[in-house]
Amino acid sequence: MNQINEQVETNRKHVLQKRRMLYIICFLLVIASILYGLGTGSVQLSINEIWAGLTEKNQTLEHQIVWNLRLPRILTGMLVGMCLAVAGGLLQGIMRNPLADPGIIGISSGAGLVAIITMLIFPQYTSLLPFGAFLGAFIAAAFVYLLAWDGGVSPLKLILAGVAINTLLGAITSAIMIIYSDKVQAVLPWLMGGLSERSWPHFWTIFPYASIGLILSLFAARTANILRLGDDTAKLLGHHVEKSRFLLILLSTFLAGAAVSVAGLLGFVGLVVPHIIRILIGDDYRYLLPISALFGGMLVVFADTAARSWFDPIELPVGILLASVGGPFFLYLLKKGSIIGKR
Protein backbone atom coordinates (compact mmCIF):
# COMPACT_ATOMS: atom_id res chain seq x y z
CA MET A 1 0.00 0.00 0.00
CA ASN A 2 2.81 2.39 0.85
CA GLN A 3 4.50 1.57 -2.43
CA ILE A 4 1.29 2.39 -4.32
CA ASN A 5 0.95 5.72 -2.50
CA GLU A 6 4.56 6.55 -3.23
CA GLN A 7 4.07 5.72 -6.91
CA VAL A 8 0.95 7.91 -7.07
CA GLU A 9 2.79 10.78 -5.39
CA THR A 10 5.73 10.36 -7.76
CA ASN A 11 3.43 10.43 -10.78
CA ARG A 12 1.66 13.54 -9.44
CA LYS A 13 4.96 15.36 -8.97
CA HIS A 14 6.07 14.34 -12.46
CA VAL A 15 2.86 15.71 -14.01
CA LEU A 16 3.15 18.98 -12.07
CA GLN A 17 6.76 19.36 -13.14
CA LYS A 18 5.80 18.71 -16.75
CA ARG A 19 3.05 21.35 -16.59
CA ARG A 20 5.36 23.94 -15.04
CA MET A 21 7.97 23.25 -17.69
CA LEU A 22 5.36 23.68 -20.42
CA TYR A 23 4.32 27.02 -18.87
CA ILE A 24 7.93 28.20 -19.08
CA ILE A 25 8.40 26.92 -22.63
CA CYS A 26 5.17 28.55 -23.88
CA PHE A 27 6.07 31.85 -22.18
CA LEU A 28 9.51 31.80 -23.83
CA LEU A 29 7.90 30.98 -27.18
CA VAL A 30 5.56 33.96 -26.77
CA ILE A 31 8.53 36.27 -26.12
CA ALA A 32 10.40 34.77 -29.09
CA SER A 33 7.42 35.20 -31.42
CA ILE A 34 7.01 38.84 -30.37
CA LEU A 35 10.69 39.59 -30.97
CA TYR A 36 10.55 37.72 -34.28
CA GLY A 37 7.52 39.75 -35.34
CA LEU A 38 9.08 43.06 -34.30
CA GLY A 39 12.32 42.39 -36.13
CA THR A 40 11.09 40.70 -39.31
CA GLY A 41 9.62 42.39 -42.36
CA SER A 42 10.59 44.45 -45.38
CA VAL A 43 12.94 46.29 -43.00
CA GLN A 44 14.93 43.91 -40.79
CA LEU A 45 15.64 45.16 -37.26
CA SER A 46 18.21 43.94 -34.75
CA ILE A 47 17.50 43.51 -31.03
CA ASN A 48 19.18 46.86 -30.31
CA GLU A 49 17.06 48.59 -32.97
CA ILE A 50 13.90 46.96 -31.58
CA TRP A 51 14.78 48.19 -28.09
CA ALA A 52 15.49 51.68 -29.42
CA GLY A 53 12.18 51.68 -31.29
CA LEU A 54 10.32 50.70 -28.10
CA THR A 55 12.03 53.11 -25.71
CA GLU A 56 13.05 56.20 -27.66
CA LYS A 57 10.37 58.85 -28.07
CA ASN A 58 11.89 60.66 -31.05
CA GLN A 59 10.30 59.87 -34.40
CA THR A 60 13.05 57.66 -35.81
CA LEU A 61 12.46 55.06 -38.50
CA GLU A 62 12.81 52.29 -35.90
CA HIS A 63 10.25 53.96 -33.63
CA GLN A 64 7.74 54.31 -36.48
CA ILE A 65 8.17 50.68 -37.58
CA VAL A 66 8.14 49.11 -34.13
CA TRP A 67 5.69 51.27 -32.22
CA ASN A 68 3.21 52.30 -34.93
CA LEU A 69 3.26 49.37 -37.37
CA ARG A 70 4.39 46.07 -35.90
CA LEU A 71 3.70 46.19 -32.16
CA PRO A 72 -0.08 46.87 -32.35
CA ARG A 73 -0.47 44.18 -35.00
CA ILE A 74 1.46 41.67 -32.89
CA LEU A 75 -0.49 42.44 -29.71
CA THR A 76 -3.79 42.24 -31.59
CA GLY A 77 -2.78 38.88 -33.06
CA MET A 78 -1.77 37.67 -29.62
CA LEU A 79 -5.21 38.44 -28.17
CA VAL A 80 -6.97 36.92 -31.19
CA GLY A 81 -5.02 33.67 -30.84
CA MET A 82 -5.62 33.50 -27.10
CA CYS A 83 -9.37 34.05 -27.51
CA LEU A 84 -9.77 31.42 -30.25
CA ALA A 85 -7.66 28.80 -28.45
CA VAL A 86 -9.55 29.17 -25.17
CA ALA A 87 -12.93 29.22 -26.94
CA GLY A 88 -12.05 26.01 -28.78
CA GLY A 89 -10.77 24.34 -25.62
CA LEU A 90 -13.94 25.18 -23.72
CA LEU A 91 -16.24 23.97 -26.49
CA GLN A 92 -14.36 20.68 -26.88
CA GLY A 93 -14.61 20.09 -23.16
CA ILE A 94 -18.26 20.91 -22.56
CA MET A 95 -19.39 19.08 -25.72
CA ARG A 96 -16.94 16.21 -25.22
CA ASN A 97 -16.27 16.27 -28.94
CA PRO A 98 -12.90 16.81 -30.65
CA LEU A 99 -14.54 18.66 -33.57
CA ALA A 100 -16.07 21.38 -31.39
CA ASP A 101 -14.64 24.68 -32.56
CA PRO A 102 -16.10 28.19 -33.06
CA GLY A 103 -15.56 27.89 -36.81
CA ILE A 104 -17.25 24.51 -37.19
CA ILE A 105 -20.37 24.78 -35.03
CA GLY A 106 -21.54 28.12 -36.45
CA ILE A 107 -20.38 30.63 -33.83
CA SER A 108 -17.76 32.26 -36.06
CA SER A 109 -20.16 32.17 -39.01
CA GLY A 110 -22.76 34.07 -37.00
CA ALA A 111 -20.22 36.71 -36.07
CA GLY A 112 -18.97 36.81 -39.64
CA LEU A 113 -22.44 37.26 -41.13
CA VAL A 114 -23.18 40.30 -38.98
CA ALA A 115 -19.73 41.69 -39.75
CA ILE A 116 -20.26 41.24 -43.51
CA ILE A 117 -23.67 42.93 -43.32
CA THR A 118 -22.13 45.81 -41.38
CA MET A 119 -19.18 46.30 -43.74
CA LEU A 120 -21.13 45.92 -47.01
CA ILE A 121 -24.54 47.39 -46.21
CA PHE A 122 -24.05 49.63 -43.17
CA PRO A 123 -20.41 50.81 -43.33
CA GLN A 124 -21.29 53.90 -41.27
CA TYR A 125 -21.67 51.60 -38.24
CA THR A 126 -18.27 49.89 -38.41
CA SER A 127 -17.44 51.30 -34.97
CA LEU A 128 -20.06 48.88 -33.60
CA LEU A 129 -18.45 45.89 -35.33
CA PRO A 130 -17.17 44.17 -32.13
CA PHE A 131 -20.58 44.34 -30.49
CA GLY A 132 -22.27 43.25 -33.73
CA ALA A 133 -19.90 40.30 -34.11
CA PHE A 134 -20.61 39.16 -30.57
CA LEU A 135 -24.35 39.60 -31.14
CA GLY A 136 -24.19 37.51 -34.32
CA ALA A 137 -22.16 34.82 -32.59
CA PHE A 138 -24.59 34.79 -29.65
CA ILE A 139 -27.66 34.50 -31.91
CA ALA A 140 -26.03 31.64 -33.82
CA ALA A 141 -25.14 29.88 -30.56
CA ALA A 142 -28.69 30.39 -29.26
CA PHE A 143 -30.16 28.83 -32.41
CA VAL A 144 -27.79 25.88 -32.13
CA TYR A 145 -28.77 25.41 -28.49
CA LEU A 146 -32.51 25.63 -29.24
CA LEU A 147 -32.28 23.21 -32.15
CA ALA A 148 -30.42 20.73 -29.98
CA TRP A 149 -32.81 21.08 -27.03
CA ASP A 150 -35.07 18.13 -26.33
CA GLY A 151 -35.73 18.16 -22.61
CA GLY A 152 -31.99 18.66 -22.34
CA VAL A 153 -29.02 19.07 -24.65
CA SER A 154 -26.63 16.31 -25.64
CA PRO A 155 -23.15 17.17 -26.94
CA LEU A 156 -23.78 15.17 -30.14
CA LYS A 157 -26.96 17.13 -30.94
CA LEU A 158 -25.11 20.39 -30.33
CA ILE A 159 -22.44 19.44 -32.86
CA LEU A 160 -24.97 18.34 -35.50
CA ALA A 161 -27.10 21.45 -35.02
CA GLY A 162 -23.97 23.59 -35.16
CA VAL A 163 -22.85 22.09 -38.47
CA ALA A 164 -26.32 22.72 -39.93
CA ILE A 165 -26.39 26.35 -38.74
CA ASN A 166 -22.85 26.86 -40.02
CA THR A 167 -23.89 25.67 -43.48
CA LEU A 168 -26.99 27.89 -43.50
CA LEU A 169 -25.10 31.00 -42.39
CA GLY A 170 -22.41 30.33 -44.98
CA ALA A 171 -25.07 30.23 -47.71
CA ILE A 172 -26.58 33.53 -46.51
CA THR A 173 -23.14 35.14 -46.43
CA SER A 174 -22.43 33.98 -49.99
CA ALA A 175 -25.80 35.36 -51.18
CA ILE A 176 -25.07 38.78 -49.64
CA MET A 177 -21.64 38.83 -51.28
CA ILE A 178 -23.18 38.08 -54.68
CA ILE A 179 -25.78 40.81 -54.25
CA TYR A 180 -23.12 43.34 -53.26
CA SER A 181 -20.44 41.97 -55.58
CA ASP A 182 -19.16 45.49 -56.36
CA LYS A 183 -18.00 45.87 -52.74
CA VAL A 184 -16.77 42.34 -52.07
CA GLN A 185 -13.12 43.07 -52.83
CA ALA A 186 -12.86 45.15 -49.67
CA VAL A 187 -13.94 42.28 -47.39
CA LEU A 188 -12.22 39.29 -49.03
CA PRO A 189 -9.08 39.53 -46.85
CA TRP A 190 -11.33 39.69 -43.79
CA LEU A 191 -13.19 36.55 -44.89
CA MET A 192 -9.90 34.69 -45.21
CA GLY A 193 -8.80 35.84 -41.78
CA GLY A 194 -6.00 38.35 -41.49
CA LEU A 195 -4.28 41.05 -39.46
CA SER A 196 -3.17 43.31 -42.29
CA GLU A 197 -3.23 47.03 -41.40
CA ARG A 198 -4.25 46.30 -37.81
CA SER A 199 -3.18 49.16 -35.56
CA TRP A 200 -3.68 50.53 -32.06
CA PRO A 201 -7.43 51.25 -32.51
CA HIS A 202 -7.98 47.57 -33.35
CA PHE A 203 -5.98 46.48 -30.30
CA TRP A 204 -7.92 48.75 -27.96
CA THR A 205 -11.13 47.52 -29.57
CA ILE A 206 -10.51 43.87 -28.73
CA PHE A 207 -8.57 44.41 -25.48
CA PRO A 208 -11.50 44.91 -23.05
CA TYR A 209 -13.52 42.05 -24.55
CA ALA A 210 -10.55 39.67 -24.61
CA SER A 211 -9.47 40.60 -21.08
CA ILE A 212 -12.91 39.98 -19.61
CA GLY A 213 -13.37 36.71 -21.51
CA LEU A 214 -9.95 35.31 -20.67
CA ILE A 215 -10.26 36.18 -16.98
CA LEU A 216 -13.70 34.55 -16.82
CA SER A 217 -12.30 31.44 -18.50
CA LEU A 218 -9.91 30.94 -15.58
CA PHE A 219 -12.89 30.80 -13.22
CA ALA A 220 -14.71 28.47 -15.65
CA ALA A 221 -11.96 25.82 -15.54
CA ARG A 222 -13.48 23.97 -12.57
CA THR A 223 -16.90 23.81 -14.23
CA ALA A 224 -15.37 22.57 -17.48
CA ASN A 225 -13.55 19.83 -15.54
CA ILE A 226 -16.83 18.66 -14.05
CA LEU A 227 -18.74 18.70 -17.36
CA ARG A 228 -16.11 16.64 -19.16
CA LEU A 229 -16.85 13.80 -16.71
CA GLY A 230 -20.28 13.39 -18.32
CA ASP A 231 -23.77 14.66 -17.56
CA ASP A 232 -24.73 11.89 -15.17
CA THR A 233 -21.56 12.20 -13.09
CA ALA A 234 -21.89 16.00 -13.00
CA LYS A 235 -25.48 15.72 -11.76
CA LEU A 236 -24.44 13.27 -9.07
CA LEU A 237 -21.93 15.87 -7.91
CA GLY A 238 -24.82 18.32 -7.53
CA HIS A 239 -24.01 20.33 -10.65
CA HIS A 240 -26.65 22.08 -12.80
CA VAL A 241 -25.48 20.67 -16.14
CA GLU A 242 -27.66 22.61 -18.59
CA LYS A 243 -27.10 25.96 -16.92
CA SER A 244 -23.34 25.43 -16.75
CA ARG A 245 -23.14 24.26 -20.35
CA PHE A 246 -25.10 27.27 -21.58
CA LEU A 247 -22.94 29.73 -19.64
CA LEU A 248 -19.73 28.18 -20.96
CA ILE A 249 -21.08 28.26 -24.52
CA LEU A 250 -21.92 31.93 -23.94
CA LEU A 251 -18.36 32.56 -22.73
CA SER A 252 -16.93 30.78 -25.78
CA THR A 253 -19.20 32.85 -27.99
CA PHE A 254 -17.98 36.04 -26.33
CA LEU A 255 -14.33 35.10 -26.95
CA ALA A 256 -14.90 34.00 -30.54
CA GLY A 257 -16.93 37.13 -31.36
CA ALA A 258 -14.14 39.35 -30.03
CA ALA A 259 -11.56 37.56 -32.19
CA VAL A 260 -13.68 37.56 -35.34
CA SER A 261 -14.46 41.27 -35.02
CA VAL A 262 -10.84 42.27 -35.66
CA ALA A 263 -9.25 39.28 -37.44
CA GLY A 264 -12.05 37.87 -39.57
CA LEU A 265 -12.79 34.19 -40.00
CA LEU A 266 -9.52 32.77 -38.69
CA GLY A 267 -9.74 29.00 -38.58
CA PHE A 268 -7.98 26.00 -37.04
CA VAL A 269 -6.54 27.82 -34.00
CA GLY A 270 -9.39 26.81 -31.72
CA LEU A 271 -9.50 23.35 -33.29
CA VAL A 272 -5.84 22.29 -33.21
CA VAL A 273 -4.20 24.18 -30.32
CA PRO A 274 -6.22 22.55 -27.48
CA HIS A 275 -5.42 19.11 -28.94
CA ILE A 276 -1.70 19.80 -28.93
CA ILE A 277 -1.78 20.94 -25.30
CA ARG A 278 -4.10 18.10 -24.28
CA ILE A 279 -1.69 15.52 -25.67
CA LEU A 280 1.14 17.09 -23.66
CA ILE A 281 -0.51 17.65 -20.26
CA GLY A 282 -3.91 15.98 -20.23
CA ASP A 283 -7.46 17.27 -19.79
CA ASP A 284 -7.22 19.31 -16.59
CA TYR A 285 -8.71 22.66 -17.62
CA ARG A 286 -6.94 24.54 -14.83
CA TYR A 287 -3.79 24.07 -16.91
CA LEU A 288 -5.19 23.37 -20.36
CA LEU A 289 -6.87 26.77 -20.80
CA PRO A 290 -4.02 29.11 -19.78
CA ILE A 291 -1.38 27.10 -21.64
CA SER A 292 -3.63 26.91 -24.71
CA ALA A 293 -4.02 30.69 -24.52
CA LEU A 294 -0.25 31.20 -24.52
CA PHE A 295 0.30 28.71 -27.34
CA GLY A 296 -2.58 30.09 -29.42
CA GLY A 297 -1.32 33.65 -29.10
CA MET A 298 2.19 32.59 -30.04
CA LEU A 299 0.94 30.58 -33.02
CA VAL A 300 -1.06 33.45 -34.52
CA VAL A 301 1.78 35.97 -34.05
CA PHE A 302 4.35 33.64 -35.61
CA ALA A 303 2.03 32.66 -38.49
CA ASP A 304 1.13 36.29 -39.18
CA THR A 305 4.81 37.29 -39.26
CA ALA A 306 5.53 34.44 -41.66
CA ALA A 307 2.54 35.32 -43.84
CA ARG A 308 3.66 38.94 -44.25
CA SER A 309 7.41 38.32 -44.63
CA TRP A 310 8.08 34.91 -46.19
CA PHE A 311 6.25 35.66 -49.45
CA ASP A 312 7.53 39.20 -50.00
CA PRO A 313 6.39 41.28 -51.88
CA ILE A 314 3.05 39.49 -51.46
CA GLU A 315 1.38 39.48 -48.04
CA LEU A 316 -0.79 36.42 -47.49
CA PRO A 317 -3.74 36.55 -45.10
CA VAL A 318 -2.67 34.63 -42.01
CA GLY A 319 -5.84 32.53 -42.23
CA ILE A 320 -4.59 30.89 -45.43
CA LEU A 321 -1.29 29.92 -43.82
CA LEU A 322 -2.96 28.60 -40.67
CA ALA A 323 -5.41 26.52 -42.71
CA SER A 324 -2.66 25.09 -44.93
CA VAL A 325 -0.71 23.99 -41.84
CA GLY A 326 -3.58 23.29 -39.42
CA GLY A 327 -5.56 21.07 -41.78
CA PRO A 328 -2.79 18.51 -42.46
CA PHE A 329 -1.73 18.58 -38.80
CA PHE A 330 -5.29 17.83 -37.68
CA LEU A 331 -5.40 14.90 -40.13
CA TYR A 332 -2.09 13.69 -38.69
CA LEU A 333 -3.54 13.72 -35.17
CA LEU A 334 -6.62 11.91 -36.45
CA LYS A 335 -4.49 9.25 -38.15
CA LYS A 336 -2.45 8.68 -34.97
CA GLY A 337 -5.61 8.33 -32.92
CA SER A 338 -4.64 11.27 -30.69
CA ILE A 339 -8.05 12.85 -31.24
CA ILE A 340 -10.58 10.04 -31.28
CA GLY A 341 -8.72 7.29 -29.52
CA LYS A 342 -8.18 9.16 -26.26
CA ARG A 343 -11.66 10.51 -25.82
Side-chain angles (χ1 to χ4, degrees), residues 4-180:
I4 295 176
N5 290 335
E6 289 177 1
Q7 184 64 39
V8 170
E9 183 64 20
T10 301
N11 291 338
R12 188 185 70 84
K13 289 181 179 179
H14 176 71
V15 170
L16 287 176
Q17 185 179 14
K18 189 175 180 180
R19 288 167 177 170
R20 289 168 185 162
M21 184 60 66
L22 192 57
Y23 266 120
I24 295 172
I25 292 173
C26 285
F27 181 75
L28 293 176
L29 287 174
V30 167
I31 300 299
S33 67
I34 292 174
L35 291 176
Y36 178 65
L38 290 174
T40 304
S42 56
V43 177
Q44 299 288 332
L45 299 177
S46 66
I47 295 294
N48 290 334
E49 289 171 329
I50 292 172
W51 180 252
L54 289 171
T55 57
E56 294 179 3
K57 299 299 182 182
N58 54 343
Q59 296 300 309
T60 61
L61 177 62
E62 292 81 4
H63 179 82
Q64 292 288 346
I65 292 174
V66 171
W67 195 259
N68 295 330
L69 295 178
R70 294 180 184 172
L71 184 60
R73 178 169 177 164
I74 288 170
L75 294 179
T76 302
M78 183 69 63
L79 290 180
V80 167
M82 295 174 79
C83 288
L84 290 175
V86 172
L90 282 173
L91 289 173
Q92 290 167 14
I94 60 181
M95 296 185 182
R96 304 196 305 281
N97 192 300
L99 293 178
D101 167 73
I104 290 179
I105 66 170
I107 291 176
S108 292
S109 296
L113 176 59
V114 173
I116 289 294
I117 292 173
T118 302
M119 290 187 287
L120 294 181
I121 305 176
F122 304 105
Q124 66 271 27
Y125 296 114
T126 51
S127 60
L128 299 176
L129 190 57
F131 176 76
F134 167 68
L135 185 63
F138 175 75
I139 292 173
F143 268 111
V144 170
Y145 203 84
L146 289 174
L147 286 173
W149 181 267
D150 185 18
V153 175
S154 70
L156 178 59
K157 286 184 178 179
L158 278 172
I159 291 291
L160 295 176
V163 171
I165 290 294
N166 189 39
T167 303
L168 175 62
L169 293 177
I172 296 173
T173 299
S174 299
I176 292 174
M177 290 174 62
I178 291 174
I179 295 172
Y180 293 89

Side-chain angles (χ1 to χ4, degrees), residues 169-196:
L169 293 177
I172 296 173
T173 299
S174 299
I176 292 174
M177 290 174 62
I178 291 174
I179 295 172
Y180 293 89
S181 57
D182 56 322
K183 302 178 181 179
V184 165
Q185 195 65 33
V187 300
L188 279 180
W190 188 91
L191 286 171
M192 298 175 188
L195 295 166
S196 179

Side-chain angles (χ1 to χ4, degrees), residues 207-221:
F207 179 76
Y209 297 93
S211 300
I212 293 171
L214 292 172
I215 291 172
L216 289 176
S217 70
L218 297 177
F219 293 98

Side-chain angles (χ1 to χ4, degrees), residues 281-311:
I281 63 167
D283 282 320
D284 192 335
Y285 276 79
R286 294 174 299 171
Y287 302 95
L288 178 66
L289 292 181
I291 295 178
S292 293
L294 290 174
F295 194 87
M298 178 278 298
L299 179 63
V300 171
V301 170
F302 179 82
D304 181 56
T305 303
R308 66 176 169 81
S309 62
W310 289 6
F311 307 95

Side-chain angles (χ1 to χ4, degrees), residues 205-272:
T205 295
I206 189 178
F207 179 76
Y209 297 93
S211 300
I212 293 171
L214 292 172
I215 291 172
L216 289 176
S217 70
L218 297 177
F219 293 98
R222 179 178 175 273
T223 301
N225 276 335
I226 294 175
L227 288 181
R228 73 181 177 85
L229 298 175
D231 292 0
D232 293 337
T233 303
K235 290 175 181 177
L236 287 174
L237 293 173
H239 214 70
H240 197 302
V241 173
E242 300 303 337
K243 180 181 177 181
S244 297
R245 181 177 287 129
F246 178 77
L247 290 176
L248 290 185
I249 291 175
L250 185 63
L251 176 57
S252 302
T253 300
F254 186 80
L255 289 165
V260 168
S261 68
V262 297
L265 301 180
L266 206 61
F268 283 99
V269 178
L271 185 64
V272 173

